[in-house]
């Protein structure tokens, strides 16, 4: 076994690999960009090496710097994590040429699955069912339209180099084919530098079911059962589970065999995933699934399979890479219980889930295992106080639950999600919690269209409770501070608690500006319109009693913002008259500057428009991703220095707000 490995990645997956390596007595080396110098993965590793500036092309995609770091630190092997260089055959070759071990498949196996069209042709000849369609070399528009007619509408056009749902177009009828083809080709060229497409049958009520496989050097291949990843938003996975609801023994067997066959056909080694699409319109059937693609790496969602098999996939990866045989046969493997994973992201559901940035002023998870199996496991590469930057994937955490059965696990998921507290950046938490309570999902009636169909309902935000502003006002007024110390100043401050006091505060929230006028007498609080509450606070826990109806919630004050956490929702109030805090990274209080070079894709505001803190002002397209830049504070747009379609440089001032803070 290796004594030291380097992890060529960042964030939660790096931390996750470190935890297993440490348990196995293997030392770890992290790499980091300038943006990550203080990141958790750097702190957790035994050693860390700076590999470059924040831009991924100069750091986490800089294979040479990474291999140098491994050689310099005496690491014997490189774990690529997922994303970045994990599926780059040239990198694997360079690693091997440097005399190091790549913890993953051989370069030719990655190549064989790299392009969707070649992969499909290869799988077809290996006898693996493939979605009916055309995946040949001819790219003439009329020819492809003719293929689409033969396949039968609706069809799906896919960029052959595509990934992450990019370059994919659903075409319902022949009239729309030409323009959809053009736009898929354009996106393919723009995102992957490859315009070639394939055309395939669009599967009705599609479910995404994938098989986890493992292969060792001796040619022994097993499957570790399936995961269902049908809960997707624009072809991106949101919640995954294992096993798949409604899966029969017979279908699992046929699908498992097909996955093993696929891995064998390309001489695979290590952990891999074969993604299938299944037609769920008549229930899951052994003749109703087809190969989509293979991911030649460890997947983001691997923890759900770890939960139901009781295995540590990173340990298996390390053992296989070190030349050990798989320690089990197919017959030894079985499924225990049911598991879910929800992907918690800094993203803004209100702007179509654009990635968001910001400092995690407050981040509190329910008690859970970290990077290790448990009924509740939370894998997160960030801590409270860390900043989600526009440079990388804005994932905050993976919330993973394991229950006796599906119902039990889903309860655990809903529970866990409603106990997460995050303030400082917008997230998809409310959306995930709503999804975990969705009726159809509860019943296991899922397909890839579920989220799209019910999006409005899933994005519903409950109104802030009436007592919210009262609690916020009292926190700003420091009305809960009791005279604990012997310091006489403490006593004077706390004195107000014991006699009646008046409190007048102006607050801002999503509902706009409101004046809060309170009469406070001990724990009793009366509002101007006559509502009375008994409010007590213990640490961050608040209890509110309104005429005998008692509610508990949690609340924190961070500088000039108070955040209330109720049932997985966060409600925030700020004081408009207080000085606006200058945001750490790139957003001044009066101006919004470009955090990186990019293209202004959309402009949401015009001159003279009033905006609230956090409103999306524009969308910057940079590094193949879209970033929403939002208002640093409440105010009025005074200046717009850019137009949609314009290229901007790092640091350019894009929008200025009126400087009058009034
Ligand atoms: P990408 O590599 O961009 O992620 P995939 O080929 O893996 O693209 O497909 C992504 C998602 O698109 C699948 O999970 C599924 O939801 C949907 N999809 C793909 N192929 C089809 C198809 N033939 N019919 C219906 N939906 C499909």
């Amino acid at each position: 076994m290796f004594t030291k490995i380097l992890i060529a990645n960042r964030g939660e997956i790096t931390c996750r690999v470190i935890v297993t390596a440490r348990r196995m007595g293997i030392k770890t080396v992290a790499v980091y960009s300038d943006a990550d110098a203080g990141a958790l993965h750097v702190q957790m590793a035994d050693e860390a090496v700076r590999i470059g500036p924040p831009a991924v092309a100069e750091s986490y995609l800089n294979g040479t710097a990474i291999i140098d770091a491994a050689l310099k630190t005496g690491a014997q092997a490189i774990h690529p994590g997922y994303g970045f260089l994990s599926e780059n055959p040239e990198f694997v070759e360079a690693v091997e040429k440097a005399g190091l071990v790549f913890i993953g498949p051989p370069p030719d196996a990655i190549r064989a699955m790299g392009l969707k069209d070649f992969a499909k042709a290869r799988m077809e000849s290996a006898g693996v069912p493939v979605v009916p369609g055309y995946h040949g070399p001819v790219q003439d528009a009329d020819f492809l339209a003719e293929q689409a007619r033969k396949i039968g509408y609706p069809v799906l056009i896919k960029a052959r180099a595509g990934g992450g749902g990019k370059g994919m177009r659903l075409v319902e009828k022949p009239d729309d084919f030409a323009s959809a083809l053009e736009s898929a080709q354009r996106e393919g060229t723009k995102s992957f530098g490859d315009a070639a497409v394939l055309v395939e049958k669009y599967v009705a009520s599609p479910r995404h079911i994938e098989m986890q496989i493992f292969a060792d050097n001796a040619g022994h291949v097993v499957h570790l059962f399936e995961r269902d990843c049908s809960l997707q938003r624009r072809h991106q996975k949101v919640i995954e589970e294992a096993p798949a609801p409604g899966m029969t023994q017979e279908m699992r067997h046929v699908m498992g065999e097909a996955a093993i066959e696929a891995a064998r056909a390309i001489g695979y080694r290590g952990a891999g995933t074969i993604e299938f699409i299944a037609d769920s319109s008549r229930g899951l059937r052994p003749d109703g699934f087809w190969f989509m693609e293979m991911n030649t790496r460890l997947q983001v969602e691997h923890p759900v399979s770890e939960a139901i098999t009781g295995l540590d996939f990173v340990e298996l990866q390390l053992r296989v890479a070190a030349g050990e045989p798989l320690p089990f046969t197919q017959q030894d493997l079985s499924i225990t219980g049911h598991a879910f994973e929800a992907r918690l992201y800094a993203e803004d559901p209100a702007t179509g889930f654009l990635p968001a940035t910001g400092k995690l002023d407050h981040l509190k998870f329910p008690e859970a295992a970290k990077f290790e199996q448990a009924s509740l496991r939370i894998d997160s590469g960030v801590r409270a106080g860390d900043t989600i930057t526009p440079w990388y994937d804005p994932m905050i955490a993976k919330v993973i639950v394991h229950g006796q059965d599906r119902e039990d696990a889903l309860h655990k998921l809903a529970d866990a999600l409603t106990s997460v507290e995050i303030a400082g950046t917008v997230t998809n938490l409310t959306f995930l919690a709503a999804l975990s309570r969705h009726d159809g999902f509860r019943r296991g009636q899922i397909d890839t269209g579920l989220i799209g169909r019910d999006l409005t309902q899933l994005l519903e935000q409950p109104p802030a409770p009436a007592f919210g502003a009262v609690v916020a006002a009292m926190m700003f007024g420091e009305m809960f501070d009791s005279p604990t110390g012997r310091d006489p100043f403490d006593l004077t401050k706390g004195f107000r608690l014991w006699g009646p006091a008046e409190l007048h505060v102006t607050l801002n929230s999503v509902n706009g500006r409101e004046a809060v006028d309170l009469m406070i007498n001990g724990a009793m609080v009366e509002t101007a319109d006559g509502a009375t509450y008994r409010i007590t606070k213990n640490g961050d826990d608040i209890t509110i009693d309104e005429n005998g109806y008692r509610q508990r919630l949690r609340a924190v004050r961070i500088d000039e913002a108070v955040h209330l956490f109720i049932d997985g929702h966060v409600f925030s109030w700020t004081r408009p008259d207080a000085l606006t805090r200058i945001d750490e990274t790139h957003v001044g209080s009066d101006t919004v500057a470009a955090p990186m070079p990019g293209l202004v894709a959309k402009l949401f505001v015009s001159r003279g428009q009033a905006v609230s803190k956090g409103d999306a002002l524009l969308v910057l397209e940079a590094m193949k991703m879209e970033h929403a830049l939002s208002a640093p504070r409440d105010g009025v747009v005074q200046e717009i220095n850019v137009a949609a379609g314009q290229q901007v440089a790092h640091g350019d001032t894009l929008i200025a707000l009126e400087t009058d803070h009034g």
Side-chain angles (χ1 to χ4, degrees):
M1 184 46 66
F2 315 113
T3 53
K4 193 191 268 189
I5 61 168
L6 179 141
I7 302 136
N9 214 298
R10 63 181 301 284
E12 68 87 19
I13 190 61
T14 302
C15 303
R16 194 252 162 279
V17 175
I18 290 172
V19 167
T20 290
R22 179 156 300 151
R23 186 171 46 70
M24 294 172 69
I26 301 169
K27 292 254 181 276
T28 52
V29 182
V31 292
Y32 65 93
S33 73
D34 291 334
D36 277 341
L40 181 63
H41 76 274
V42 176
Q43 189 196 336
M44 281 175 65
D46 295 307
E47 295 166 56
V49 181
R50 176 191 176 271
I51 45 169
V56 290
E58 296 169 72
S59 53
Y60 297 104
L61 289 179
N62 183 349
T64 312
I66 290 170
I67 292 170
D68 279 352
L71 293 173
K72 223 176 276 157
T73 53
Q76 299 124 353
I78 297 186
H79 193 299
Y82 53 72
F84 296 130
L85 292 166
S86 61
E87 294 180 283
N88 182 322
E90 286 79 40
F91 175 66
V92 181
E93 280 163 353
V95 169
E96 290 174 349
K97 211 166 141 218
L100 304 167
V101 175
F102 180 75
I103 302 168
D108 284 342
I110 300 179
R111 255 184 214 113
M113 290 296 179
L115 293 174
K116 289 180 200 287
D117 53 352
F118 288 133
K120 284 193 172 146
R122 190 93 182 240
M123 288 301 105
E124 213 162 26
S125 56
V128 176
V130 167
V131 187
Y134 176 76
H135 36 258
V138 184
Q139 294 293 312
D140 172 66
D142 292 335
F143 175 83
L144 290 174
E146 175 57 17
Q147 295 302 312
R149 194 192 57 77
K150 276 197 205 147
I151 295 163
Y153 282 87
V155 298
L156 202 58
I157 303 175
K158 287 185 183 178
R160 67 166 187 167
K166 283 229 165 106
M168 247 166 56
R169 295 290 179 278
L170 168 62
V171 195
E172 308 267 7
K173 49 186 198 303
D175 283 353
D176 302 339
F177 188 84
S179 71
L181 175 65
E182 242 173 68
S183 106
Q185 287 169 330
R186 217 179 312 122
E187 197 162 297
T189 308
K190 199 174 115 202
S191 303
F192 314 105
D194 186 350
V197 298
L198 48 114
V199 183
E200 64 185 34
K201 176 88 194 147
Y202 182 74
V203 177
S205 318
R207 271 174 68 177
H208 174 122
I209 302 181
E210 56 187 36
M211 274 281 166
Q212 174 71 49
I213 61 105
F214 251 99
D216 65 16
N217 279 307
H220 180 201
V221 191
V222 297
H223 73 80
L224 292 106
F225 313 108
E226 78 282 358
R227 291 184 287 264
D228 194 313
C229 311
S230 299
L231 284 195
Q232 304 184 345
R233 206 192 51 77
R234 296 221 194 107
H235 310 300
Q236 310 241 25
K237 297 165 186 171
V238 177
I239 293 183
E240 303 97 343
E241 62 180 301
M247 179 60 104
T248 62
Q249 276 305 342
E250 189 198 2
M251 175 153 171
R252 178 174 293 134
H253 178 75
V254 175
M255 202 181 240
E257 287 297 305
I260 289 173
E261 203 40 57
R264 282 226 171 88
I266 57 164
Y268 200 75
R269 184 186 63 222
T273 296
I274 323 283
E275 297 188 335
F276 295 101
I277 186 154
D279 175 357
S280 71
S281 56
R282 293 171 302 154
L284 293 179
R285 299 152 56 105
D287 61 349
F289 73 89
W290 302 274
F291 171 86
M292 256 192 315
E293 66 172 359
M294 177 167 189
N295 292 319
T296 52
R297 53 171 159 82
L298 195 66
Q299 304 259 110
V300 173
E301 61 272 25
H302 75 274
V304 293
S305 301
E306 291 189 318
I308 62 158
T309 57
L311 296 166
D312 180 331
F313 286 7
V314 171
E315 177 180 343
L316 287 175
Q317 282 190 300
L318 292 169
R319 293 201 182 284
V320 166
E324 293 180 26
L326 285 173
F328 43 68
T329 63
Q330 191 68 56
Q331 284 69 41
D332 299 330
L333 300 168
S334 60
I335 297 177
T336 305
H338 201 101
F340 288 94
E341 173 187 275
R343 299 185 185 196
L344 182 54
Y345 276 98
E347 60 183 14
D348 188 2
T351 58
F353 294 88
L354 287 176
T357 55
K359 185 165 169 228
L360 295 164
D361 287 328
H362 178 82
L363 177 66
K364 192 166 178 297
F365 295 118
E367 205 169 300
K370 294 184 179 117
F371 312 109
E372 275 171 320
Q373 292 186 35
S375 63
L376 177 59
R377 160 179 175 179
I378 298 182
D379 286 8
S380 171
V382 292
R383 303 148 295 190
D386 284 351
T387 297
I388 305 284
T389 71
W391 296 105
Y392 314 113
D393 182 75
M395 183 192 275
I396 297 173
K398 307 193 302 203
V399 177
I400 304 129
V401 294
H402 186 207
Q404 292 161 24
D405 53 30
R406 191 170 188 273
E407 197 186 339
D408 178 41
L410 197 45
H411 274 302
K412 289 193 161 92
L413 181 67
D415 261 7
L417 290 171
T418 47
S419 327
V420 174
E421 301 171 2
I422 306 174
T425 176
V426 285
T427 74
N428 64 345
L429 180 61
T430 296
F431 167 69
L432 291 176
L435 206 44
S436 70
R437 290 187 294 248
H438 183 278
D439 272 348
F441 180 39
R442 288 229 143 175
R443 288 194 300 269
Q445 290 166 354
I446 46 177
D447 68 85
T448 60
L450 181 145
I451 291 180
R453 282 192 302 273
D454 293 342
L455 194 60
T456 319
Q457 169 206 331
L458 290 166
L459 290 182
E460 253 168 39
Q461 278 278 3
F467 59 71
V470 176
V471 174
M474 290 190 52
M475 288 182 71
F476 281 125
E478 298 180 8
M479 289 308 200
F480 291 114
D481 296 349
S482 53
T484 44
R486 293 190 186 282
D487 186 326
F489 288 103
D490 260 2
L491 279 169
T492 25
K493 200 166 152 197
F495 176 75
R496 303 166 73 188
L497 247 162
W498 313 107
E502 275 184 38
L503 180 67
H504 306 281
V505 189
T506 304
L507 297 179
N508 262 346
S509 72
V510 285
N511 302 326
R513 192 173 285 213
E514 64 186 306
V516 184
D517 302 298
L518 305 176
M519 275 295 296
I520 302 165
N521 195 349
M524 297 307 298
V525 184
E526 190 178 341
T527 67
D529 43 19
T532 55
Y533 303 97
R534 184 173 193 281
I535 306 181
T536 51
K537 185 166 179 289
N538 182 5
D540 294 337
D541 296 313
I542 290 192
T543 305
I544 298 188
D545 192 311
E546 186 181 3
N547 304 321
Y549 175 57
R550 201 172 281 196
Q551 259 178 294
R552 265 184 234 288
L553 59 118
R554 298 199 15 105
V556 294
R557 174 172 170 193
I558 290 142
D559 303 327
E560 291 310 320
V562 165
H563 308 283
L564 266 49
F565 304 101
I566 306 171
D567 244 1
H569 303 289
V570 55
F571 302 98
S572 305
W573 284 265
T574 54
R575 278 201 294 194
D577 46 356
L579 278 182
T580 312
R581 184 167 56 94
I582 309 274
D583 228 38
E584 57 300 326
T585 42
H586 43 84
V587 202
S589 60
D590 297 325
T591 58
V592 175
M596 56 177 67
L599 180 89
V600 176
K602 276 178 215 139
L603 200 56
F604 294 125
V605 291
S606 47
R607 246 198 105 205
Q609 187 174 330
V611 293
S612 303
K613 180 179 176 188
D615 283 357
L617 302 178
L618 59 85
V619 175
L620 187 68
E621 211 176 86
M623 304 190 312
K624 296 181 185 169
M625 292 215 302
E626 296 194 317
H627 308 273
L629 301 188
S630 50
R633 61 167 170 85
D634 298 348
V636 172
V637 176
Q638 183 178 42
E639 239 177 79
I640 300 181
N641 301 328
V642 287
Q646 193 175 327
Q647 194 72 37
V648 295
H650 180 188
D652 282 0
T653 300
L654 309 178
I655 288 183
L657 303 179
E658 276 177 12
T659 43
D660 172 18
H661 281 245

